[in-house]
C-alpha cells in the first residue's frame, strides 16, 4: 500500500486557553513509558460529496482544543524533574493522506507494517517529546472512498474513557453542535493521602513472572530470535452462551460478568497454546476504571488516567486442570478487591515509590508467560460520528500477550478478540479455541 501525504500542519486552539502547568498523578506517570497509543477509526464511504471535509475536521478540532486545552500542550518537567504538561497551546499535528488501495476488512483487521503507514509518525524518544505534539491525527482516504483516522495520543494525556469524551466532543462540533459536557481537568484529586498509608500488598506492581524454559524451548531459542504475529477471532453469541452455561451449571450463586467469563477462557486458551510447564507461573493483568470505584467517585468527565491494574497469578498446570468456573472466580475476586480502600492504598504506595520507572506499564507485563485483556466494548467509540456515519475503532499496535475485546462491525451481539502472540503459538491458539466449542 502506497501512502501520499497531501498536507501536514499544526492545529491550535481557536481561542486563547489558560497557560499553566498541569500536575500529573502517579497513575498518569505509570503510562509514561507507553508513550503514544496508536489507534485507528474506520469509516465506510456513505456517498456524500463532502465526505470527511478537511475544513470541517480542522475547524472542529481547533474548537475542541479550547475545553480540552491540555491536548494542545507539551510534556515538561517541574523543578523536581517530575513530568507534567505545559499547557502552552502549541497545537496538535494534523495530516491528510491518500492510499492507493481499498480500506481493509474491519472485522479481519490485524495490525501490520503496511497499516502503520496510516498512523502519524510516532516519536518514541522521551528526550524529544518536550517539543513534540501530544496528539496527532492522519486522515487517510482509500481508493474505495472510505476513510481512516489514524490517531497517536500520548498516554500521559488520558485513558480510553477520557479520549472517548474528547472524540465525542470533537465529532459533536463537526456536526455543528456544541460540546455537551466539558472535561474535568484537575488531577490533584488523585493525590496520595497525607501521610501516605498503603494498607495492602499491591501484587499488581510485583515484577511479572518470567518464562522458565524447558529443554525444548532452549533448543528453539538457540535456533533464532522469536517473532510475533497478530490474530483475530470471532466470538459469537453462541460462544458466549456456551461459556456462560459452563460456568453457571457449576456455580450459579455468583453472577459473573461477560468480561470475567470471556477473559478467564482466553487466559486458559493462551496458556495452553504456549505449551508452558505445569510449574510455570502466569500472571493476568486486568485494567479497571477507578472513576466510579473511588469514594467519593470521580466525575465521569475526568480527563486523565484513572486506570488501575488488578492482577492474579496461577501456575499453568493448575489453571488448565481446574474447572473454568474456578478461573472465572480468580478474576472475579481480583476485580471485586478494587474498591476505594484498595485504590487509595495503591495511590499511597505509588507516592512512596522512589522510582516509578521500575513499575511502569509496558510490553514486559503481558509477554509470555503472562496475559492482559482489555475490553473496548463498554466504550462506545463506534458512536463517534463526525457527520458522515458511525465508525469502528481498532488497536493499531498490540504487544505480545495483550489482547482487545472489540465489537463486531457486521454481526450485532458478536465480539472480536484481537491479540498478539509469538508466531509459533498462533496456530495452536486457533485450534484450541475452535475445539473448546466442539466438545
Amino acid at each position: 500500500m502506497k501512502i501520499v501525504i497531501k498536507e501536514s500542519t499544526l492545529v491550535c486552539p481557536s481561542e486563547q486557553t489558560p497557560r499553566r502547568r498541569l500536575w500529573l498523578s502517579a497513575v498518569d506517570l505509570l503510562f509514561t513509558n507507553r508513550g503514544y497509543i496508536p489507534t485507528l477509526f474506520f469509516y465506510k464511504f456513505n456517498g456524500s460529496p463532502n465526505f470527511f471535509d478537511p475544513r470541517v475536521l480542522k475547524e472542529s478540532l481547533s474548537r475542541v482544543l479550547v475545553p480540552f486545552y491540555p491536548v494542545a500542550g507539551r510534556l515538561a518537567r517541574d523543578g523536581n524533574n517530575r513530568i507534567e504538561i505545559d499547557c502552552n497551546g502549541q497545537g496538535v499535528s494534523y495530516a491528510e493522506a491518500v492510499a492507493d488501495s481499498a480500506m481493509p476488512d474491519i472485522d479481519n483487521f490485524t495490525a501490520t507494517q503496511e497499516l502503520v503507514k496510516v498512523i502519524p509518525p510516532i516519536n518514541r524518544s522521551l528526550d524529544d517529546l518536550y517539543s513534540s505534539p501530544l496528539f496527532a491525527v492522519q486522515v487517510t482516504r482509500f481508493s474505495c472512498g472510505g476513510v481512516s483516522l489514524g490517531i497517536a495520543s500520548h498516554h500521559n494525556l488520558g485513558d480510553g474513557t477520557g479520549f472517548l469524551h474528547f472524540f465525542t466532543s470533537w465529532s459533536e462540533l463537526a456536526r455543528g453542535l456544541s460540546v455537551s459536557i466539558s472535561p474535568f481537568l484537575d488531577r490533584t484529586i488523585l493525590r496520595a493521602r497525607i501521610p501516605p498509608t498503603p494498607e495492602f500488598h499491591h501484587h499488581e506492581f510485583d515484577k511479572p513472572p518470567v518464562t522458565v524454559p524447558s529443554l525444548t524451548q532452549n533448543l528453539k531459542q538457540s535456533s533464532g530470535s522469536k517473532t510475533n504475529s497478530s490474530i483475530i477471532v470471532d466470538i459469537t453469541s453462541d460462544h458466549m452462551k456456551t461459556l456462560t452455561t459452563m460456568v453457571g451449571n457449576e456455580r450459579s450463586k455468583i453472577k459473573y460478568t461477560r468480561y470475567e467469563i470471556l477473559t478467564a477462557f482466553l487466559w486458559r486458551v493462551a496458556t495452553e497454546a504456549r505449551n508452558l510447564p505445569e510449574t510455570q507461573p502466569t500472571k493476568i493483568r486486568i485494567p479497571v476504571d477507578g472513576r466510579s470505584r473511588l469514594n467519593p467517585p470521580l466525575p465521569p468527565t475526568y480527563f486523565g488516567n484513572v486506570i488501575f491494574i488488578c492482577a492474579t497469578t496461577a501456575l499453568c498446570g493448575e489453571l488448565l486442570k481446574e474447572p473454568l468456573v474456578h478461573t472465572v472466580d480468580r478474576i472475579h475476586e481480583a476485580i471485586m478487591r478494587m474498591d476505594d480502600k484498595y485504590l487509595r492504598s495503591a495511590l499511597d504506595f505509588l507516592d512512596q515509590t522512589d522510582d516509578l520507572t521500575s513499575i511502569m506499564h509496558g510490553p514486559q507485563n503481558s509477554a509470555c508467560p503472562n496475559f492482559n485483556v482489555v475490553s473496548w466494548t463498554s466504550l462506545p467509540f463506534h458512536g463517534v460520528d463526525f457527520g458522515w456515519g458511525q465508525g469502528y475503532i481498532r488497536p493499531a499496535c498490540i504487544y505480545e500477550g495483550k489482547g482487545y475485546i472489540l465489537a463486531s462491525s457486521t454481526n450485532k451481539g458478536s465480539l472480536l478478540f484481537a491479540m498478539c502472540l509469538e508466531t509459533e503459538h498462533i496456530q495452536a491458539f486457533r485450534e484450541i479455541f475452535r475445539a473448546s466449542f466442539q466438545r
Side-chain angles (χ1 to χ4, degrees), residues 15-27:
E15 302 174 16
Q16 182 105 18
T17 55
R19 176 67 191 265
R20 69 184 184 95
R21 294 293 184 100
L22 182 68
W23 180 85
L24 299 182
S25 74
V27 182

Side-chain angles (χ1 to χ4, degrees), residues 233-235 239-240 242-244 246-247 258-273 284 319-320 323-329 331 371 373 405 417 429-439:
V233 293
D234 293 307
I235 300 167
H239 287 152
M240 284 308 309
T242 299
L243 294 175
T244 303
M246 290 168 62
V247 171
R258 180 176 67 170
Y259 173 83
E260 291 167 345
I261 295 171
L262 183 55
T263 298
F265 169 71
L266 294 169
W267 185 21
R268 289 158 63 103
V269 174
T271 300
E272 186 176 352
I284 187 168
L319 192 71
L320 296 179
L324 175 61
V325 67
H326 292 177
T327 309
V328 177
D329 214 32
I331 292 172
F371 201 55
V373 177
I405 301 172
F417 182 60
F429 185 96
R430 289 189 185 279
E431 292 174 356
I432 295 165
F433 180 94
R434 191 181 304 114
S436 299
F437 299 101
Q438 296 175 343
R439 295 168 184 168

Side-chain angles (χ1 to χ4, degrees), residues 217-402:
Q217 288 169 328
N218 277 328
L219 290 173
K220 287 182 179 179
Q221 288 174 354
S222 65
S223 64
S225 60
K226 297 179 180 179
T227 61
N228 299 327
S229 298
S230 295
I231 180 177
I232 192 161
V233 293
D234 293 307
I235 300 167
T236 66
S237 55
D238 286 341
H239 287 152
M240 284 308 309
K241 287 177 185 176
T242 299
L243 294 175
T244 303
T245 300
M246 290 168 62
V247 171
N249 284 345
E250 298 190 50
R251 188 173 180 179
S252 57
K253 292 182 180 179
I254 299 176
K255 187 172 178 60
Y256 299 110
T257 66
R258 180 176 67 170
Y259 173 83
E260 291 167 345
I261 295 171
L262 183 55
T263 298
F265 169 71
L266 294 169
W267 185 21
R268 289 158 63 103
V269 174
T271 300
E272 186 176 352
R274 286 165 162 171
N275 193 29
L276 297 166
E278 290 190 356
T279 55
Q280 169 69 57
T282 172
K283 182 177 183 178
I284 187 168
R285 289 165 53 88
I286 302 161
V288 172
D289 188 343
R291 285 171 177 77
S292 62
R293 294 174 180 267
L294 290 162
N295 188 20
L298 269 60
T301 57
Y302 180 94
F303 186 70
N305 290 286
V306 204
I307 296 299
F308 292 82
I309 301 296
C310 69
T312 186
T313 301
L315 296 179
C316 291
E318 293 177 355
L319 192 71
L320 296 179
K321 290 177 181 177
E322 68 187 13
L324 175 61
V325 67
H326 292 177
T327 309
V328 177
D329 214 32
R330 291 178 188 267
I331 292 172
H332 175 78
E333 289 178 0
I335 294 175
M336 292 300 292
R337 192 165 57 236
M338 305 293 282
D339 57 11
D340 177 73
K341 195 173 183 180
Y342 191 89
L343 299 189
R344 295 290 177 189
S345 174
L347 290 172
D348 291 349
F349 171 82
L350 293 172
D351 186 74
Q352 292 187 332
T353 302
D354 293 330
D355 181 16
L356 287 177
T357 59
S358 63
I359 57 173
M360 284 185 179
H361 304 313
Q364 73 282 356
N365 291 308
S366 63
C368 186
N370 306 304
F371 201 55
N372 184 0
V373 177
V374 179
S375 176
W376 282 359
T377 58
S378 61
L379 298 175
F381 280 104
H382 60 273
V384 175
D385 181 358
F386 289 88
W388 299 282
Q390 295 183 346
Y392 290 89
I393 188 172
R394 295 291 181 258
C397 178
I398 309 176
Y399 296 127
E400 196 275 317
K402 184 171 185 176

Side-chain angles (χ1 to χ4, degrees), residues 62-230:
S62 179
R63 291 174 61 198
V64 82
L65 292 175
V66 176
F68 288 88
Y69 61 87
V71 178
R74 300 292 184 267
L75 288 187
R77 291 187 182 270
D78 65 12
N80 297 316
N81 207 36
R82 196 176 194 271
I83 293 177
E84 58 187 4
I85 295 177
D86 181 5
C87 301
N88 55 22
Q90 289 186 6
V92 303
S93 175
Y94 178 93
E96 285 273 340
V98 293
D100 65 353
S101 62
M103 194 167 69
D105 181 352
I106 298 171
D107 279 0
N108 290 311
F109 167 81
T110 56
T112 65
Q113 286 300 114
E114 280 290 287
L115 283 168
V116 168
K117 297 176 183 177
V118 301
I119 297 287
I122 298 172
N123 182 357
R124 296 190 180 276
S125 170
L126 189 59
D127 294 334
D128 296 332
L129 275 178
Y130 308 112
S131 60
S132 299
L134 295 177
F135 179 87
V137 56
Q138 179 177 311
V139 182
T140 302
R141 301 176 188 277
F142 294 91
S143 60
C144 60
V147 161
S148 70
L149 299 187
I151 306 295
S153 53
H154 199 283
H155 217 320
N156 283 156
L157 278 174
D159 55 23
T161 299
F163 267 103
L164 174 60
H165 185 194
F166 175 82
F167 287 119
T168 300
S169 300
W170 179 13
S171 68
E172 287 174 338
L173 291 170
R175 298 199 308 274
L177 306 174
S178 299
V179 172
S180 54
I181 306 174
S182 296
F184 184 90
L185 300 176
D186 182 10
R187 306 191 186 196
T188 61
I189 58 176
L190 285 184
R191 285 191 188 275
R193 293 172 289 196
I194 302 176
T197 52
E199 303 172 58
F200 301 93
H201 170 71
H202 287 277
H203 170 61
E204 63 270 26
F205 298 120
D206 291 344
K207 288 187 177 180
V210 296
T211 305
V212 180
S214 65
L215 177 60
T216 303
Q217 288 169 328
N218 277 328
L219 290 173
K220 287 182 179 179
Q221 288 174 354
S222 65
S223 64
S225 60
K226 297 179 180 179
T227 61
N228 299 327
S229 298
S230 295

